[in-house]
Amino acid sequence: MLKLSLSAAATRSAATRTSAAASRSVQVSASRAASTASKPAVTSSSNTGSSGRWFVPVAAAVAAGAAYKYYQQTDTIVPAESATGIAAQVDIDSIIYSQSSITTLASASNASPAGLRLDSCTVGSNNPSEDRIAAISLGPTSQLFIVVDGHVGEQCAQIVVDHIAPYIAQELKSRRAVSTVSNGSWWWPTASSPAASTSSSDRSQLVTESITAAFERLDSDIVNGAFMTPAPKVSKTTLADAEAHKQLLNASIASAVSGACTLVALVDGQDLFVSCAGDSKAILGSRNEDGSFEAIDLSVENRPDHPEERERILREHPGEDPDMLVGVRPNYDASFRVLQYIAISRALGDAFLKWPITTAQSLPEPLVTKKTVPHCATPPYVTATPLTTHRRINTSKDRFMILCTDGLTDELSSKEAVSIVHGFMRVAQAVEKGTNRVWGEDPLSHQKGWVLDRDDNAAACLVRNAFGGKDDAVSRILAVEYPDSRDVRDDVSVQVVFFRGDASNDTVETLVEDERLGASRYPVKRGLDSVNLSLAKQKVAQLPKWIQWLEASKSAN
């Protein structure tokens, strides 16, 4: 997306777009006064190089109601003097905090997890937003944090955020990594469980295999239609009403053809497992001895221009044109794309890049206008297999973890994001004695001029600064309505997990004291919901049944 370049789609073509956009009310906040002023362009800042993700020739998403806009338009930015103005008076806090929350994770148990507090924030650009976030308790010492960035609709993202935790829990259970399962709750290995006797490296491998299997099994269920409307039985009655049943298929197939970049972080005691399929990101904020903070990337953005990803794709499709497999789409933008089509290499869903060609060709018009993605000769081209990292949380250094969709990292580097949370903690006086000696100097904070004194939620503070920080800049970003907002900002979702420090070091604990939380402008949640294992039960693939019914329908005609 464009890095805070308010070229506004309203002015992407001065001759054809501005007047139409100006006639619409900017319905960003119910409390905002109606305005008929037209929209301005703001002088363009530098592009980060993160470019549009999709070229979508698939009508299925539209047929399923998944209106979608490219992540970045390539039209010329209209200079500020060419554009008309827009009232920038929006209720910033109402928008940023409408889907924000603070959750205390502390437990009275001696075996409490490392995660102490969770700050979350989501600000949509799509309508509805395609991002989803969640946090689930997997037992007294275990927490799972989930960030999902949907594309070509929200359907797949919703399925993933609802089911990935149960699927992971079920896979851990099947590998005997848990000791007890009862009434939908489960506990991590105890001294009597089979996994307790394994070495640290073996246990890490066991957990990694479980998470990988969960991603792949959930993706298989999605792509094969397990979440679609059940297919009708082949009968005279259903065949006589073929068109109505085809409409049911049209309405539910978006669960398979939409996609979801998925990032999860499993915190179990001091163990941290981060798994990513897509371009969302996990960043660790680790404090150095001098009080300064270091940004450590815990995940790799799965994009085809990454050397290892490119090599993998070429290896999996021998004999195919390398420039087509991973290449720049001519006359579109500079991003490398799989099949010159999609700018990510791992995700759940995206069935048109995974189905056998015969499957796509068996679907009826107008469900798809192009039976397959061009040059899709040997699918799958995108994999749901995540890349997983394991780290032991250093209680004397590791202070927080940021999980976010690319709507944030398109605007902020890892170092900038950590700088903001570092500053948030300092301003929030999240230490007994908040001095520079304790926290260390942060030249980047002074250079960038972060706005750090407006929020009591670290995730909201990140979003505010990603949109420019100061009210004038943030207002201009938030004032642009959908669908023009897609040219200005992406859906943005952020979780900030604060870790428990050493027992002798009260650097973070004061963030969750009752008096501190009582000052929050919005209610504070206490504790996480427990995982629901029933959601991981075996499911029936409906797509083969639908194809069988479609073939019978053709024969009947």
Side-chain angles (χ1 to χ4, degrees), residues 420-534:
I420 291 168
V421 179
H422 171 198
F424 168 86
M425 296 173 71
R426 184 176 63 247
V427 171
Q429 296 182 350
V431 287
E432 283 191 319
K433 298 179 180 179
T435 67
N436 285 334
R437 183 184 62 80
V438 172
W439 287 108
E441 292 289 348
D442 181 10
L444 182 61
S445 180
H446 296 295
Q447 175 188 345
K448 296 290 185 178
W450 307 128
V451 175
L452 303 170
D453 59 354
R454 296 287 301 278
D455 300 291
D456 48 29
N457 179 316
C461 186
L462 279 166
V463 172
R464 184 187 301 274
N465 283 280
F467 289 164
K470 296 181 180 178
D471 284 355
D472 179 56
V474 178
S475 292
R476 288 176 178 271
I477 294 297
L478 294 180
V480 183
E481 66 174 343
Y482 177 81
D484 298 335
S485 58
R486 295 298 294 116
D487 295 318
V488 177
R489 56 188 169 89
D490 196 356
D491 297 331
V492 181
S493 291
V494 186
Q495 293 180 325
V496 180
V497 182
F498 291 101
F499 294 131
R500 186 183 304 277
D502 289 333
S504 61
N505 190 342
D506 288 335
T507 54
V508 180
E509 279 73 357
T510 52
L511 272 173
V512 296
E513 290 178 352
D514 286 343
E515 54 268 29
R516 170 69 186 151
L517 290 171
S520 174
R521 72 191 74 185
Y522 295 103
V524 174
K525 300 178 182 179
R526 298 188 181 278
L528 301 175
D529 292 336
S530 297
V531 66
N532 181 359
L533 283 174
S534 68

Side-chain angles (χ1 to χ4, degrees), residues 5 218 543:
S5 299
L218 179 55
L543 187 61

Side-chain angles (χ1 to χ4, degrees), residues 21 32 43 124 130 137 165 171 228 249 278 287 297 300 313 381 393 408 412 431 493 496:
R32 178 186 171 196
T43 303
E130 295 171 342
S137 172
E171 291 297 333
M228 291 171 57
L249 173 60
R287 192 176 68 174
D297 288 341
V300 177
I313 294 167
Y381 286 89
I393 297 171
L408 187 81
L412 298 172
V431 287
S493 291
V496 180

Side-chain angles (χ1 to χ4, degrees), residues 185-310:
S185 298
W186 70 291
W187 286 262
W188 194 250
T190 63
S192 61
S193 67
S197 61
T198 61
S199 67
S200 176
S201 60
D202 288 342
R203 182 171 176 272
S204 175
Q205 183 64 27
L206 186 70
V207 174
T208 298
E209 290 175 356
S210 299
I211 296 174
T212 298
F215 271 63
E216 292 174 347
R217 185 164 74 90
L218 179 55
D219 182 63
S220 177
D221 282 348
I222 292 170
V223 169
N224 288 297
F227 297 95
M228 291 171 57
T229 300
K233 294 182 178 180
V234 177
S235 68
K236 291 182 179 180
T237 302
T238 62
L239 294 176
D241 198 14
E243 288 306 314
H245 285 91
K246 287 180 182 179
Q247 290 303 314
L248 290 176
L249 173 60
N250 287 357
S252 67
I253 202 165
S255 64
V257 300
S258 57
C261 297
T262 304
L263 173 70
V264 301
L266 173 61
V267 177
D268 173 58
Q270 302 306 126
D271 283 304
L272 172 60
F273 296 88
V274 174
S275 299
C276 183
D279 57 1
S280 296
K281 199 167 189 178
I283 309 161
L284 183 71
S286 186
R287 192 176 68 174
N288 299 315
E289 290 185 3
D290 63 359
S292 63
F293 270 72
E294 179 182 3
I296 301 172
D297 288 341
L298 299 173
S299 61
V300 177
E301 296 163 300
N302 308 143
R303 290 175 173 164
D305 57 352
H306 190 282
E308 292 183 3
E309 286 295 272
R310 175 183 168 83

Side-chain angles (χ1 to χ4, degrees), residues 99 395 417 502 553:
Q99 295 187 68
T395 57
D502 289 333
S553 175

Side-chain angles (χ1 to χ4, degrees), residues 25 82 232 268 315-316 352 362 388 399 416 439 465 493 500:
S25 297
S82 311
D268 173 58
R315 183 175 63 250
E316 292 176 355
F352 276 101
S362 66
T388 299
R399 285 289 167 259
E416 289 172 332
W439 287 108
N465 283 280
S493 291
R500 186 183 304 277

